[in-house]
Amino acid sequence: MDQQNRFEQQEENKFFADNRAMRHPVEGTIARGKLKQDKQYYQGINKDSSFVEEIQVDVTKSFIYRGKERYEVFCTPCHGISGDGNGIIMANNYGFVPAPSLHIDRLRNQSDGYIYSVITNGIRNMPAYNHQISVKDRWAIVAYVRALQRSQNVPEEEVRENYDVDIASIKESHKQKLAKAEAKKESKSGGGEVSIERGKSIASANACESCHSTDGSRLVGPTWKNLYGNERALENGETVVADEEYLRESIVEPGAKIAKGFPPSMVPYDHLSDSKINSLIAYIKSLSDNSE
């Protein structure tokens, strides 16, 4: 069986003028099963390049569980086991741009094709997973993300009607959890130096300058040079002065006022303490001719 009627690598083949058995495929050759004409399935887009609204695979229980298994392998390090954006990489402050929660309205209201496209092609600091996750598994992850989102956003009336649970007890438990989180936040925000140098360090640690330049050049987000104290045009047609209140809101709730000409792609940095936010603001102010 060692000697078969075939050519091995680097073996001579006198049939061809250059005597090489190893040949490049004929131009335009597509391997069996690799003809990806179905853009809705392989790319998550329609013929007009808009994202498909609904998943392109039959969603079964086993399919969702497959998505769960793949999600926990590839997605939990950043997005967390429940999709809250608090995975181990984010929780331990390794300097990565925070991953968004999958439960915010912006992502719950996106189409299935959009989520598939993000998994396939990546977005901002998130890498593409098209080489690591098969097409069908990407759709399985989409199905599981929808299940996660659904689990965190069930209307109270539906819970009362279909489940035998103590709503009052759940609310009280949630209230206590929020109180503890708020107490922790308050204790964290009390101390800490507020300075321009610290703000510059925080900007570097959170990769802020990968989106916001400090020299006036255009990146993904508005430049910080001469931002403070000047008027900013917004996507809704309004204008606003970039004062300290505006800067703080843009850090903790960036979707509240979208700068004209820039995508609403920044994630909230509401996990930062007050002293860190104030230091960031001080640093941004120092880059403006209007700084006090």
Side-chain angles (χ1 to χ4, degrees):
M1 294 181 66
D2 186 56
Q3 298 298 321
Q4 298 185 29
N5 187 24
R6 68 180 185 187
F7 290 101
E8 304 291 346
Q9 293 90 341
Q10 308 299 335
E11 192 173 347
E12 182 183 32
N13 183 352
K14 295 184 179 296
F15 179 81
F16 297 104
D18 58 9
N19 295 326
R20 291 184 303 166
M22 297 171 63
R23 317 300 302 175
H24 286 294
V26 176
E27 185 177 351
T29 299
I30 299 175
R32 187 184 298 275
K34 300 296 183 180
L35 184 60
K36 300 178 179 179
Q37 288 184 313
D38 188 346
K39 295 177 71 172
Q40 292 184 325
Y41 178 70
Y42 287 104
Q43 299 182 43
I45 59 175
N46 298 305
K47 290 183 179 179
D48 62 359
S49 294
S50 62
F51 291 117
V52 297
E53 284 298 322
E54 296 184 356
I55 195 166
Q56 295 299 293
V57 181
D58 290 336
V59 179
T60 62
K61 185 176 180 179
S62 61
F63 188 69
I64 294 175
Y65 273 106
R66 173 63 180 178
K68 177 179 184 293
E69 190 268 337
R70 294 288 85 187
Y71 174 90
E72 291 177 352
V73 170
F74 292 101
C75 310
T76 54
C78 293
H79 291 284
I81 196 73
S82 65
D84 60 359
N86 197 33
I88 189 171
I89 290 178
M90 302 304 155
N92 287 283
N93 297 318
Y94 291 119
F96 289 88
V97 174
S101 167
L102 300 175
H103 304 295
I104 60 177
D105 289 342
R106 178 175 66 82
L107 293 181
R108 284 195 298 104
N109 294 330
Q110 290 286 3
S111 64
D112 291 346
Y114 172 85
I115 297 175
Y116 173 85
S117 177
V118 169
I119 298 170
T120 302
N121 304 307
I123 188 171
R124 296 185 294 277
N125 283 46
M126 175 177 164
Y129 283 89
N130 54 353
H131 293 297
Q132 297 165 273
I133 308 175
S134 69
V135 172
K136 190 170 183 178
D137 280 348
R138 284 175 238 159
W139 284 116
I141 291 175
V142 173
Y144 182 64
V145 166
R146 290 308 196 199
L148 278 179
Q149 292 173 332
R150 178 65 174 167
S151 72
Q152 301 294 312
N153 194 47
V154 181
E156 185 174 319
E157 285 303 314
E158 185 175 328
V159 174
R160 293 183 185 277
E161 184 176 329
N162 297 292
Y163 303 97
D164 183 19
V165 295
D166 187 346
I167 298 290
S169 175
I170 293 175
K171 285 186 174 181
E172 182 60 30
S173 176
H174 182 62
K175 184 178 178 181
Q176 292 177 6
K177 183 178 180 181
L178 290 179
K180 287 181 179 179
E182 186 63 28
K184 184 177 180 181
K185 183 178 180 181
E186 288 179 2
S187 65
K188 183 176 67 172
S189 65
E193 170 194 6
V194 174
S195 68
I196 293 173
E197 284 303 314
R198 189 183 184 206
K200 185 176 182 180
S201 175
I202 293 167
S204 177
N206 288 276
C208 299
E209 292 170 5
S210 64
C211 294
H212 303 280
S213 74
T214 58
D215 60 2
S217 58
R218 183 183 177 93
L219 297 176
V220 177
T223 182
W224 284 354
K225 183 175 177 61
N226 287 325
L227 171 61
Y228 176 75
N230 289 306
E231 284 193 345
R232 304 293 300 174
L234 304 180
E235 277 293 334
N236 61 8
E238 299 177 357
T239 58
V240 63
V241 175
D243 54 15
E244 289 190 16
E245 181 180 351
Y246 169 81
L247 294 179
R248 178 177 293 275
E249 182 181 49
S250 297
I251 293 169
V252 301
E253 194 179 348
K257 294 183 176 69
I258 305 299
K260 185 176 182 179
F262 294 93
S265 55
M266 179 173 165
V267 297
Y269 284 78
D270 51 358
H271 62 284
L272 296 178
S273 67
D274 284 345
S275 62
K276 287 184 177 181
I277 292 173
N278 289 334
S279 292
L280 264 178
I281 292 173
Y283 174 52
I284 295 171
K285 288 175 63 175
S286 73
L287 299 171
S288 175
D289 296 336
N290 297 319
S291 61
E292 300 175 355

